[in-house]
Amino acid sequence: MEPPQQAQQPAPQSPPPAQPPSGGYVSMASTTARPRGGRTACGPCSRRKIRCDAFEREGQPCSNCEKRGQPDGCTFNDDAPRSGTRRSRASDGATSPSAPRPKKPRPSETAQSVLDGIHAASTTYAAGPPSNGSHGQVPSWGSAVNAPPAIAYPSKSYNVVPGPQPQQQWQPHTTQGPPQHTGYYAPIEPVPYSQPASHDLKDLLPSHKTALRYFEVYKTICHPLYPVIPDLEEFEAAVCQYVEDMSSGRLTYDLASSTGRARAARLSWLALLTATVATGAQYSDLSISERDSFVTDHVRNAQELLRQADYLGRPEENCIGALLLVSRIMENDIMPEAAWSTLGMVGRMADLAGLQEGMNFEEHMDVRVREATNIRHRKLWWSYLWQEYSLALCFGKTSMVQVTHEEPPVRSANNLSYNDCMLLLCKLAISARPDPTAERSSLKTEIDALATARHLHEKALPRLADRANCRTIQDRIEYYSLRISQGFVVSCMSQTLMKACARMGWDQQSKHLQSMCKEGAFDCLQAFVDMQSFSVVPLRTWMFIFSALSSALVLAALSDDTDRPRIQELQRQLLHSLAERDREMELPHRPGLYSRYPKALNFLRDVIQTDANNINGSGKREDGGPPPLGQTSVMSEQQTRDLLDPAVVWTKLFSPKSAGDSYPAQHTTFAR
């Protein structure tokens, strides 16, 4: 049988200048030199068979791609059909010009695209990396466990912008009239959830370079001290795939083609990534103005992504992790009340998602996969409890979260890691809460928990148990972070038990508890002062600042003549460090600690000795200055009792009512 006549002829030349039918391939203008044998139309225009002026615009995207809002997709890909040529396929190394072109599979027969298998960033891949090294077999970021591997990017027509008119680009809503608030989450104009434009989503996502840069900061500094993401290795693999998809332009197309739960799962993972980038930027080396603007924009973008993912109607792991990071960012920007309110919402979401009970409705899953999911849920649940009860200790309140006798996900009873120690401290703080309504109690359980917390570091790794075993900077940072948290928890637990003993008339036990409280507060303050030499973490983490400042106030109430000089030296170093932080990080719309907590800092300054530079020539105290050398402010018995009550200390010295008159209100309107 003779092959078709057109297969025996050589490849035809460029088409004649006559106008082709509408919708067909349109050649380039004759005035522009064309590359011999190369593409003269971009991939999207070739797939749609419309006229393209990409070659005439000298490296700029064609007008069709700009009108569709897809300038990044204007590339000369090989997957689009070529006009005027026939591509022949060779088999077994032999070339045959008459070989028939293989039939192209229909779009319904192609495998899932790069992002179609996503469920959550915390799921694991079913198989390892491909053995042949081809890019088409790389699992998609955040793909499901049993999802099939994605093939090369399929060639099809993408209706990126639905409808005849493109949607308006997403813009944060800003009020025109006074007052102008500079909060994190400005109200956002409602956007239809069913058909959001792809270019709107792209504007909300961090670029591939930004994601790589600040994820590395998060991985190095933030995650070791506050591990919100249960499986960081899995998440990092997903970030790498995200970077490839973002740089190649696949991400925009795949997001536009997804709907329903798959789309919501992708958006929740993207919200977690954006919150991770914002958290890393908060500890980066950017200037304060650049850092504040960058973090504010990305937190707002994370909230918008969560809104489009319906995070209240479909609470799941990635939404909860993103909100935990957002609440920690609010803490560090001196908005702990907003973080406390956010955590109340996160607790309800975690309960609905079944994190505490380890619920799993996918009964067909493999036993190992189900167990891994259960462990991941427990880690995320205890990360939430960690932050919840830390703020509860600061406010002197009892958390509304009901915790059973479930043990935290600790690997072993000995050689505890930093994360294991922090989870055990959280468990001990929960169990050491005596019942305030009990008239008489032995307090045995609470006192045993306090003793365990005091000696917890002895069961940790050698580098966490003794500073002499620290060999790297990271070892020292984790050592000091553990001592700050351990000393603060021991001090707060001792103060709570002291109130119970005083109510029962146990004076001897109260004296022992005062000694433990003083020891814990001193360890916390000493570790905070020492940690500043190694890292920016203590002065950018609100929880560490409050722990050190409240410990300094406790030591002011419990110090005596033997240890007062040593304690006052640490208190002076603390005040000096906080003043330096305010000079470097204060902004007009976000004042520093001396404007937010003036009563606490002024009270601490008034009860310690200061140098002679603050004394005038008459030897008298200047207005607003510290007392002269050799004189110590004597506190009344009532002031001493107040300083040993966390709830009273927060109400009188740290609450928003005690802030300075010049301190502006911080508005945090969540995305709807």
Side-chain angles (χ1 to χ4, degrees), residues 326-340:
V326 168
S327 62
R328 180 53 64 98
I329 291 174
M330 288 190 289
E331 276 186 29
N332 297 340
D333 281 332
I334 322 181
M335 291 187 292
E337 297 85 3
W340 175 259

Side-chain angles (χ1 to χ4, degrees), residues 205-213 239 242-248:
L205 302 179
S207 64
H208 61 283
K209 293 183 179 179
T210 300
L212 283 178
R213 176 181 179 184
V239 171
Y242 166 84
V243 170
E244 294 179 357
D245 293 342
M246 174 64 79
S247 60
S248 63

Side-chain angles (χ1 to χ4, degrees), residues 586-591 662 664:
E586 188 170 354
L587 294 172
H589 65 280
R590 203 182 302 281
S662 60

Side-chain angles (χ1 to χ4, degrees), residues 306-442:
L306 287 174
R307 186 196 68 81
Q308 295 195 21
D310 192 13
Y311 68 105
L312 292 179
R314 298 175 178 176
E316 51 96 32
E317 299 174 50
N318 293 329
C319 295
I320 294 172
L323 288 176
L324 287 178
L325 292 176
V326 168
S327 62
R328 180 53 64 98
I329 291 174
M330 288 190 289
E331 276 186 29
N332 297 340
D333 281 332
I334 322 181
M335 291 187 292
E337 297 85 3
W340 175 259
S341 301
T342 305
L343 289 175
M345 177 182 63
V346 174
R348 292 293 187 186
M349 294 173 58
D351 189 18
L352 292 174
L355 297 187
Q356 183 178 6
E357 296 85 0
M359 297 169 57
N360 185 13
F361 298 101
E362 299 183 13
E363 301 297 337
H364 64 278
M365 296 177 62
D366 184 71
V367 177
R368 292 177 298 177
V369 176
R370 192 180 305 172
E371 181 64 22
T373 304
N374 184 39
I375 294 176
R376 193 173 64 249
H377 284 184
R378 290 181 60 200
K379 287 182 178 180
L380 186 58
W381 170 251
W382 277 94
S383 296
Y384 160 71
L385 291 180
W386 178 350
Q387 190 169 353
E388 168 78 14
Y389 276 88
S390 297
L391 282 177
L393 291 177
C394 296
F395 297 156
K397 298 181 180 294
T398 302
S399 177
M400 302 302 294
V401 181
Q402 298 296 331
V403 181
T404 60
H405 297 286
E406 177 191 5
E407 293 296 326
V410 178
R411 292 175 296 183
S412 62
N414 297 316
N415 291 329
L416 301 173
S417 65
Y418 173 82
N419 188 32
D420 295 340
C421 291
M422 296 302 299
L423 294 182
L424 288 176
L425 282 177
C426 179
K427 176 65 176 180
L428 294 172
I430 295 172
S431 61
R433 283 282 183 178
D435 187 3
T437 61
E439 295 295 334
R440 199 76 177 171
S441 175
S442 62

